[in-house]
Amino acid sequence: MSGAVPFAELLAAALIVLGAGFALVGSWGLVRLPSLMERLHAPTKATTLGLGAMLAGSVVWFQLVKGEWTTHELLVPVFLFVTAPIAANMIAKVHLHALRSGDASAPAGPAGAPPPPPGRADWATHEAPHQGTPCDFEGDERR
Amino acid sequence: MLEGALAFGFAGLGLALAMNLWRLVRGPGTADRILALDTMVINVIGVIVLAGIAGGSPAAFEAALLLAMVGFVGTVAYAKFLLRGDIIE
């Protein structure tokens, strides 16, 4: 049976199944993990990787159907790989900000709230430059 | 062969979207809801890509690319609003 199926179709099907499996694992982790700092791991890594696999599968499939290599699908995973860490960083900042402002609807999770950084500095979620702390760069005071 | 893979892909992404919706409704924090919405956008991009393969139309990738960009901007806008009380300062 597999001798009759072209190798490219087999590869495209395997990549689509792999991508859907990774997306499922990412969303399952989003439901299952205990607090936001753990939950951030599943969708930002597994789901993004799964989407990359699905788009690679579509490149293989359109090569099989139309006989030409298309690369514009690869723009989507490139863009997602660039933006996923930034979005995760912003969401983690929102979580830290909610923890620090005592929002009761945001539990800290099993690991607890992260300790403040050493020195007199604080996490840069609320205030921008802190005068007289290690984060006080030259020029802040003139502002 | 590919029909089976596409059926598995649609079923898996549908289940993933249902789980994201559960997290979006359940919360508990605002950051969880932003994360659930961001994951939903990524999964919907996957659905669009699979629909493009199933329908044989490469025009679906423009929609996928557009949704990738708009989804990222939306996530950052939500986060900025919660952090600073404003989006564009």
Side-chain angles (χ1 to χ4, degrees):
Chain A
M1 178 62 202
S2 71
V5 178
F7 175 70
E9 184 174 346
L10 202 68
L11 186 62
L15 282 170
I16 287 169
V17 168
L18 188 73
F22 267 106
L24 204 53
V25 165
S27 295
W28 176 240
L30 182 66
V31 168
R32 193 70 190 129
L33 289 173
S35 84
L36 185 109
M37 283 300 190
E38 286 88 15
R39 270 177 222 141
L40 262 179
H41 292 292
T44 53
K45 294 169 188 69
T47 309
T48 310
L49 196 65
L51 200 72
M54 263 188 270
L55 281 149
S58 98
V59 170
V60 172
W61 173 247
F62 280 103
Q63 201 277 333
L64 181 70
V65 170
K66 302 199 169 174
E68 59 188 16
W69 288 100
T70 55
T71 50
H72 63 282
E73 288 102 329
L74 293 179
L75 281 175
V76 178
V78 162
F79 193 78
L80 275 177
F81 288 168
V82 170
T83 58
I86 303 170
N89 186 17
M90 297 298 283
I91 293 169
K93 273 187 183 179
V94 169
H95 180 64
L96 282 178
H97 183 66
L99 279 184
R100 208 173 65 161
S101 55
D103 188 358
S105 73
R120 284 187 296 148
D122 202 352
W123 299 112
T125 66
H126 191 65
E127 303 282 340
H130 305 276
Q131 292 189 350
T133 66
C135 305
D136 182 14
F137 296 113
E138 206 176 331
D140 280 349
E141 292 164 31
R142 268 182 262 130
R143 207 180 285 169
Chain B
M1 170 59 79
L2 195 84
E3 286 74 21
L6 281 177
F8 178 82
F10 280 125
L13 284 174
L15 196 58
L17 279 170
M19 289 196 278
N20 294 337
L21 194 63
W22 188 85
R23 179 54 72 195
L24 183 68
V25 171
R26 187 68 182 269
T30 321
D32 294 291
R33 296 200 165 93
I34 300 174
L35 181 62
L37 209 57
D38 189 52
T39 315
M40 271 183 116
V41 168
I42 296 181
N43 283 333
V44 166
I45 293 169
V47 170
I48 290 175
V49 167
L50 288 193
I53 295 176
S57 72
F61 297 107
E62 278 77 18
L65 190 58
L66 197 66
L67 201 58
M69 302 171 87
V70 170
F72 169 68
V73 171
T75 304
V76 172
Y78 284 133
K80 282 296 275 187
F81 181 72
L82 286 174
L83 281 173
R84 308 288 294 172
D86 206 349
I87 297 173
I88 299 170
E89 296 175 51

